[in-house]
Amino acid sequence: MSQITGQDAPLRTPQWLLQGELAMCPCGCIGKRTKGSYLRKTITSGAQLLQQVMFTEDTAARAGLLQRIDPRAKVVGTVVLLVAASLLRTVPALLLLYVATLAVATASALPLGFFVKRVWLFVPIFTGIMVLPATLSVVTHGEVVWTLWHWNGHPEGFTRQGLLGAALVVSRVAVSISLVVLLTLTTPWVRLLAALRGLGVPKMFIMIIGMAYRYIFLLLNGVTEMYQARTARTLGSARHDRSARTFLAASAGALIGRSHQLSEEVHQAMTARGYTGDAKVLHRFTLRPADGLYLAAAVAVSALVVTGERLLVH
């Protein structure tokens, strides 16, 4: 690229801005794959968590079925449905309740794919790992339906009783998580805490949850800013050496010091504004006929599913 000199020279885009960088293609035949930094992965996951929380606030502001219901009625209805899910003893009954939950989520203008993935990305990983040993014949004796090995001439493997028990546990956990996720996606966090306070939950418990919820994202934002500042001042690729460990330890110490100072400033600001231990809400809840209908529907569905299962089983 020719050098541009003088005031009359035309403005041109530098050639190094026009050249494309060599990057690895999707098939992996160009470039070299490098190992990602665990710290960068953690920061990226934290940023994704912030995006999900912002998306949750957007879904709670939509004009859906549950968005128009009083938060106190939604909390009580969710507790009733959770009790019903814990009383069910068959997988078909739990699946029926899960289908009803999906129908309510659709009526509440929630993205069905996002709602299902948010539940089932958690259930197989944690619940499946916990109940997997119970499906083996060495733990749950019964009819072996899938032989893995033999011991003293007897087949050992997955049993029908163990698989049915595992399916029951996974189904119950999936329904319970779906109900809780449905409540949190359709209710702003501030109104949910106010509803819990209105139902008689101790104010100290509510304040601890509220402050912890805010501090998580505040500290996560501080960590992101510290890492971005270090990355912007680092030349070359990141090194996993003693200096990186020193930076990590120093960042943790600075974050603890910042959080302590911030907590003192927040408490002084709250005290200066008249805080006496109980939070005041700007929005007053009023029960409407639609809220009573929702509670009645939740109780009716719970009683119908539990009673119907008892009659069909016996």
Side-chain angles (χ1 to χ4, degrees):
M1 184 182 67
S2 60
Q3 185 177 5
I4 302 175
T5 58
Q7 297 181 354
D8 298 333
L11 296 177
R12 297 179 182 178
T13 303
Q15 188 65 24
W16 59 273
L17 284 178
L18 300 178
Q19 294 178 352
E21 295 183 357
L22 182 62
M24 185 169 60
C25 66
C27 64
C29 59
I30 301 177
K32 182 179 179 181
R33 185 182 297 273
T34 58
K35 184 179 180 180
S37 172
Y38 70 94
L39 185 58
R40 179 176 299 177
K41 293 179 181 179
T42 304
I43 298 299
T44 304
S45 301
Q48 293 176 356
L49 179 61
L50 289 175
Q51 294 177 359
Q52 291 180 3
V53 172
M54 295 178 65
F55 178 76
T56 302
E57 295 293 333
D58 294 338
T59 57
R62 295 180 180 179
L65 175 63
L66 289 183
Q67 285 85 343
R68 295 190 292 266
I69 303 299
D70 189 279
R72 295 173 297 178
K74 285 190 286 187
V75 171
V76 175
T78 301
V79 172
V80 171
L81 292 173
L82 287 174
V83 173
S86 64
L87 295 176
L88 296 177
R89 301 177 182 177
T90 60
V91 176
L94 288 169
L95 292 180
L96 181 62
L97 187 58
Y98 180 70
V99 171
T101 304
L102 293 180
V104 175
T106 304
S108 301
L110 298 179
L112 194 58
F114 170 78
F115 180 75
V116 172
K117 288 189 295 184
R118 188 158 186 169
V119 174
W120 287 101
L121 286 178
F122 169 81
V123 173
I125 296 177
F126 296 95
T127 310
I129 294 177
M130 292 177 60
V131 302
L132 183 60
T135 61
L136 299 176
S137 56
V138 295
V139 178
T140 304
H141 300 284
E143 178 185 356
V144 179
V145 297
W146 187 2
T147 303
L148 298 179
W149 71 90
H150 289 79
W151 181 262
N152 293 332
H154 298 284
E156 300 289 346
F158 296 102
T159 62
R160 183 176 61 86
Q161 292 80 1
L163 292 175
L164 289 177
L168 180 62
V169 173
V170 171
S171 301
R172 182 176 289 124
V173 172
V175 173
S176 302
I177 294 178
S178 299
L179 292 171
V180 175
V181 170
L182 185 62
L183 174 64
T184 56
L185 286 179
T186 57
T187 310
W189 182 252
V190 177
R191 300 193 65 187
L192 181 59
L193 292 181
L196 293 176
R197 183 70 184 97
L199 293 174
V201 178
K203 60 182 180 181
M204 183 59 63
F205 182 75
I206 298 299
M207 291 303 300
I208 291 176
I209 294 180
M211 295 298 292
Y213 180 81
R214 290 177 175 87
Y215 264 85
I216 287 176
F217 302 106
L218 185 62
L219 297 180
L220 183 59
N221 187 30
V223 171
T224 304
E225 292 177 352
M226 293 168 63
Y227 179 75
Q228 290 178 349
R230 181 177 185 270
T231 304
R233 291 168 173 82
T234 302
L235 298 178
S237 60
R239 296 181 179 179
H240 304 280
D241 52 6
R242 183 177 180 180
S243 61
R245 294 189 293 270
T246 303
F247 164 75
L248 185 61
S251 300
L255 189 63
I256 294 175
R258 181 186 297 183
S259 63
H260 179 71
Q261 180 182 1
L262 184 61
S263 63
E264 293 292 338
E265 293 177 354
V266 170
H267 182 264
Q268 292 177 2
M270 294 171 63
T271 305
R273 288 167 174 81
Y275 174 71
T276 58
D278 194 6
K280 305 297 181 180
V281 295
L282 299 178
H283 181 79
R284 298 295 179 180
F285 297 128
T286 55
L287 291 176
R288 298 170 300 173
D291 305 325
L293 291 176
Y294 173 76
L295 281 177
V299 174
V301 169
S302 302
L304 180 62
V305 174
V306 174
T307 306
E309 183 196 42
R310 296 293 187 274
L311 294 176
L312 292 177
V313 170
H314 298 288

